[in-house]
């Protein structure tokens, strides 16, 4: 499945075959038979934390209320966590503000050293972190290990960037004046993350923020908060000072906590990954205090296969791009456009490969495709399948519920612009194939969306590669490459897919203010 993407460290880690198992669950396999699945015991049980983390302390909510977190593969409860409120968040912001007074004065080298310690501890605890991630998110354990490695790379990258926040000297046109610029941390940052990458969505924000000299208050996804808390445990061991990293957990008070982060004047920046609708709401709330914002929002990624493409590579690329994380990533291929001359062959070959995927519990070593996150996600997938079939689409394979939150990966042909998948982000394991005739036609179709996060295409014509890459309206383009993200490269969208950059040499600037100093009387 992932052969085409093996050059990336993330997907190489996904194929790690080493497993240690003990505890057991019973779940439904893709063949509708009951399979016994072994679940690893944590080597270090103290990484599984059941409290919020504020000012270096493990705390309950002021109300003492809690909410349950469930394993999406079994719908069994994993544990209970504090139902933090807006007031709890306000207190966390206060502690972060107090910590900022000293954290901002640390040197880049000091912050580098602490982030590298955190990086080393994450490396040492990869197996346990991956186990916690699979428990709450459901993705295959090998893929969870890949996420830990990928996510941790941002700690290493931004540790090294912490010592490179260079200013400038500007030649003066006035003899007795000198012009310089310096970069300074913005202050307290509110970070709101989703459930689909419980570790990586946090590390690529927090790594940049801490490297810049900021302190953070994190609200992780209610479905997957344990990974964030495990990272906090390791941050404490690494020596990150109290109040620099804080996590408030909530399910019922998500809107109130988000509003507090966005409207509290002490918070100087909001970094959010999630839906475009919620992003717009948070932007409007943050506008009252003119906060800096970074928004990584929804996508509707086109994946284009031209008739001169290497079909082997294109099929493998579509498989990796569409089905990793059970199709629950913001950069997954959502609309697959295939040129008429290769449409039938591509569809047949992709369906054959999809038929080799195996759905199951993430702790089953044979699983390639885990569950969807919850029942609402399953219902959306069903709606998209039913809509496509009712309007003339043909299911080549899959497309049925496999019990609970499991859904058979599907390939649908005969897709048209009138179908829901053409305009809505599916966020699930459906490969929807649209036919096209010409380059101009497919570019018009690909760009006919309010979203502009990621785009992909396959071609062996060097002229076409340049033309198409430049004309696709997206913040990121994969030409003959199905996996885009790394700590070294900029991640971000245009149009209604957001604003701002994560990762790369540009990522740290999102957490800094540029100050110009004019020195006269020289």
């Amino acid at each position: 499945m992932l052969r085409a993407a093996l050059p990336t460290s993330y997907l190489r880690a996904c194929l790690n075959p080493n497993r240690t198992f003990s505890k057991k669950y019973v779940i439904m396999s893709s063949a509708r038979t009951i399979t016994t699945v072994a679940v690893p015991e944590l080597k270090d049980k103290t990484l599984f934390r059941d409290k919020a983390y504020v000012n270096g302390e493990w705390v309950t909510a002021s109300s003492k209320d809690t909410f349950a977190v469930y394993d999406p593969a079994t719908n069994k409860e994993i544990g209970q966590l504090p139902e933090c409120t807006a007031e709890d968040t306000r207190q966390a912001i206060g502690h972060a503000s107090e910590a900022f007074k000293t954290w901002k004065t640390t040197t880049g080298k000091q912050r580098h050293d602490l982030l590298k310690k955190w990086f080393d501890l994450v490396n040492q605890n990869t197996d346990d972190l991956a186990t916690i991630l699979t428990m709450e998110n459901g993705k295959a354990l090998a893929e969870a290990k890949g996420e830990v490695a990928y996510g941790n790379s941002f700690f290493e990258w931004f540790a090294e960037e912490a010592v490179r926040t260079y200013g400038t000297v500007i030649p003066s046109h006035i003899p007795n004046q000198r012009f310089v610029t310096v970069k300074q941390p913005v202050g307290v940052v509110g970070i709101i993350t989703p459930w689909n990458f419980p570790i990586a969505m946090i590390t690529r924000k927090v790594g940049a923020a801490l490297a810049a000299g900021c302190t953070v208050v994190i609200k992780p996804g209610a479905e997957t908060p344990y990974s964030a808390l495990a990272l906090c445990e390791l941050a404490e061991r690494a020596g990150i000072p109290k109040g620099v990293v804080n996590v408030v957990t909530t399910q019922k008070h998500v809107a109130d906590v988000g509003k507090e982060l966005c409207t509290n004047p002490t918070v100087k920046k909001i970094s959010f990954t999630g839906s475009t609708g919620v992003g717009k709401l948070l932007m409007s709330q943050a506008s009252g205090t003119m906060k800096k914002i970074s928004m990584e929002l929804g996508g509707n990624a086109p994946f284009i296969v031209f008739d001169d493409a290497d079909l082997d590579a294109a099929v493998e690329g579509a498989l990796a791009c569409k089905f990793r994380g059970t199709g629950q990533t913001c950069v997954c291929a959502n609309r697959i456009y295939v040129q008429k001359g290769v449409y039938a062959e591509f569809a047949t070959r992709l369906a054959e490969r999809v038929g080799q995927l195996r759905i199951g519990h993430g702790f089953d070593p044979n699983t390639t495709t885990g569950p969807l996150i919850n029942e609402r996600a399953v219902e959306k997938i069903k709606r998209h399948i039913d809509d496509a079939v009712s309007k003339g689409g043909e299911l080549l394979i899959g497309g049925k519920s496999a019990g609970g939150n499991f859904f058979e990966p599907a390939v649908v042909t005969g897709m048209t612009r009138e179908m829901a998948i053409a305009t809505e982000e599916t966020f699930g394991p459906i490969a929807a194939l649209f036919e096209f005739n010409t380059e101009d036609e497919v570019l018009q179709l690909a760009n006919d969306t309010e979203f502009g996060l990621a785009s992909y295409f396959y071609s062996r014509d060097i002229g076409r590669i340049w033309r198409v890459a430049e004309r696709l309206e997206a913040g990121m383009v994969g030409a003959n490459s199905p996996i885009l993200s790394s700590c070294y490269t900029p991640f971000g969208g245009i149009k209604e897919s957001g604003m701002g950059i994560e990762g790369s040499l540009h990522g740290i600037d999102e957490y800094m203010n540029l100050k110009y100093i004019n020195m006269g009387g020289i």
Side-chain angles (χ1 to χ4, degrees):
M1 166 181 175
L2 301 175
R3 183 180 60 193
L6 283 180
T8 69
S9 60
Y10 171 40
L11 289 173
R12 281 200 304 272
C14 285
L15 300 179
N16 184 347
N18 297 321
R19 311 281 194 274
T20 55
F21 302 104
S22 58
K23 202 164 66 174
K24 298 186 180 288
Y25 279 118
V26 174
I27 59 98
M28 188 84 74
S29 77
S30 60
R32 309 294 182 89
T33 57
I34 301 299
T35 302
T36 300
V37 178
V39 179
E41 294 284 356
L42 294 179
K43 300 171 186 175
D44 182 352
K45 293 181 173 56
T46 61
L47 289 176
F48 192 78
R49 288 290 187 168
D50 60 357
K51 301 288 191 297
Y53 186 71
V54 176
N55 199 33
E57 303 292 335
W58 298 100
V59 299
T60 60
S62 56
S63 65
K64 305 303 179 185
D65 289 344
T66 61
F67 67 95
V69 179
Y70 296 92
D71 176 351
T74 63
N75 284 320
K76 292 183 177 180
E77 184 178 311
I78 297 171
Q80 298 269 337
L81 283 171
E83 189 70 84
C84 295
T85 64
E87 177 56 35
D88 296 321
T89 306
R90 195 172 301 121
Q91 292 180 16
I93 292 169
H95 289 302
S97 178
E98 188 64 28
F100 178 66
K101 294 176 182 178
T102 52
W103 183 248
K104 69 179 179 181
T105 67
T106 57
T107 66
K109 179 62 167 61
Q110 289 172 317
R111 297 193 295 275
H112 162 278
D113 292 348
L114 288 170
L115 281 168
K116 283 301 293 288
K117 287 180 182 178
W118 202 359
F119 166 82
D120 290 339
L121 286 166
V122 170
N123 269 347
Q124 294 164 20
N125 291 275
T126 292
D127 288 349
D128 281 350
L129 291 171
T131 297
I132 292 170
L133 197 161
T134 294
M135 281 183 189
E136 59 184 358
N137 171 276
K139 66 179 63 176
L141 184 61
E143 194 169 347
K145 290 180 179 180
E147 181 183 335
V148 175
Y150 161 68
N152 200 26
S153 70
F154 289 95
F155 282 160
E156 182 180 44
W157 171 260
F158 284 115
E160 293 163 351
E161 287 296 287
V163 298
R164 296 183 176 88
T165 54
Y166 303 123
T168 58
V169 176
I170 302 170
S172 173
H173 63 291
I174 302 172
N176 65 342
Q177 292 186 7
R178 300 293 182 268
F179 306 149
V180 299
T181 66
V182 296
K183 294 178 181 178
Q184 296 179 314
V186 298
V188 178
V189 179
I191 292 175
I192 303 174
T193 59
W195 49 263
N196 57 339
F197 287 90
I199 285 181
M201 292 297 99
I202 289 176
T203 57
R204 73 182 187 187
K205 298 175 188 293
V206 172
L210 266 61
C214 299
T215 58
V216 298
V217 178
I218 306 163
K219 203 292 291 178
E223 299 87 351
T224 58
Y226 285 106
S227 292
L229 297 172
L231 287 174
C232 288
E233 171 63 27
L234 296 178
E236 186 172 292
R237 296 180 193 179
I240 305 292
K242 291 183 176 182
V244 171
V245 177
N246 307 273
V247 171
V248 291
T249 57
T250 184
Q251 181 184 68
K252 183 168 63 176
H253 303 299
V254 167
D256 293 337
V257 168
K259 184 176 182 180
E260 180 62 31
L261 289 170
C262 289
T263 58
N264 191 310
T266 301
V267 177
K268 302 304 181 185
K269 177 182 172 64
I270 292 292
S271 181
F272 169 72
T273 297
S275 72
T276 295
V278 174
K280 290 178 178 179
L281 173 63
L282 298 178
M283 275 187 70
S284 67
Q285 293 173 343
S287 67
T289 49
M290 294 300 292
K291 297 184 189 338
K292 287 175 71 84
I293 55 172
S294 295
M295 295 278 162
E296 195 265 281
L297 307 178
N300 188 5
F303 186 105
I304 304 168
V305 182
F306 288 100
D307 55 12
D308 64 353
D310 178 338
L311 278 193
D312 287 337
V315 168
E316 294 300 316
L319 205 67
C321 186
K322 173 71 257 185
F323 294 101
R324 69 189 180 103
T326 317
Q328 299 174 116
T329 86
C330 55
V331 292
C332 271
N334 200 59
R335 299 166 291 151
I336 301 178
Y337 294 104
V338 186
Q339 200 156 14
K340 185 175 182 178
V342 294
Y343 185 90
E345 183 180 358
F346 179 88
T348 299
R349 290 166 67 169
L350 181 61
E352 289 174 353
R353 294 291 286 114
V354 170
Q356 297 170 18
L357 300 179
R358 186 185 186 281
I359 58 175
H361 197 296
F363 291 125
D364 184 337
N366 297 311
T367 291
T368 61
T369 308
L372 292 161
I373 191 65
N374 54 36
E375 185 179 353
R376 293 191 307 277
V378 174
E379 290 303 315
K380 184 177 184 181
I381 304 306
K382 289 179 180 177
R383 177 172 63 82
H384 277 192
I385 290 282
D386 292 344
D387 173 79
V389 172
S390 70
K391 295 175 181 176
E394 180 183 357
L395 263 176
L396 295 190
I397 193 167
K400 297 178 182 178
S401 172
N405 294 328
F406 292 97
F407 199 87
E408 296 175 354
V411 177
V412 188
T413 59
M415 296 296 298
T416 66
R417 298 174 70 178
E418 291 70 37
M419 298 172 183
I421 293 176
T423 56
E424 297 180 18
E425 185 177 26
T426 299
F427 231 64
I430 305 174
L433 274 55
F434 299 74
E435 186 178 297
F436 74 92
N437 291 300
T438 68
E439 181 180 311
D440 285 340
E441 175 195 1
V442 77
L443 284 167
Q444 182 177 355
L445 291 169
N447 291 333
D448 186 20
T449 173
E450 65 268 34
F451 301 109
L453 186 57
S455 294
Y456 309 87
F457 70 95
Y458 276 73
S459 172
R460 287 180 288 192
D461 180 328
I462 188 63
R464 170 175 279 163
I465 288 172
W466 276 111
R467 287 193 308 272
V468 173
E470 290 178 351
R471 291 179 62 188
L472 282 169
E473 296 173 358
M476 300 173 287
V477 176
N480 299 314
S481 177
I483 305 296
L484 292 168
S485 182
S486 76
C487 64
Y488 312 106
T489 54
F491 189 101
I494 60 174
K495 299 161 75 171
E496 293 191 25
S497 287
M499 59 187 65
I501 294 296
E502 295 187 323
S504 81
L505 75 163
H506 306 289
I508 197 169
D509 287 339
E510 298 285 327
Y511 297 86
M512 306 198 85
N513 291 321
L514 183 67
K515 177 181 286 185
Y516 153 57
I517 302 172
N518 182 325
M519 295 181 288
I522 293 173

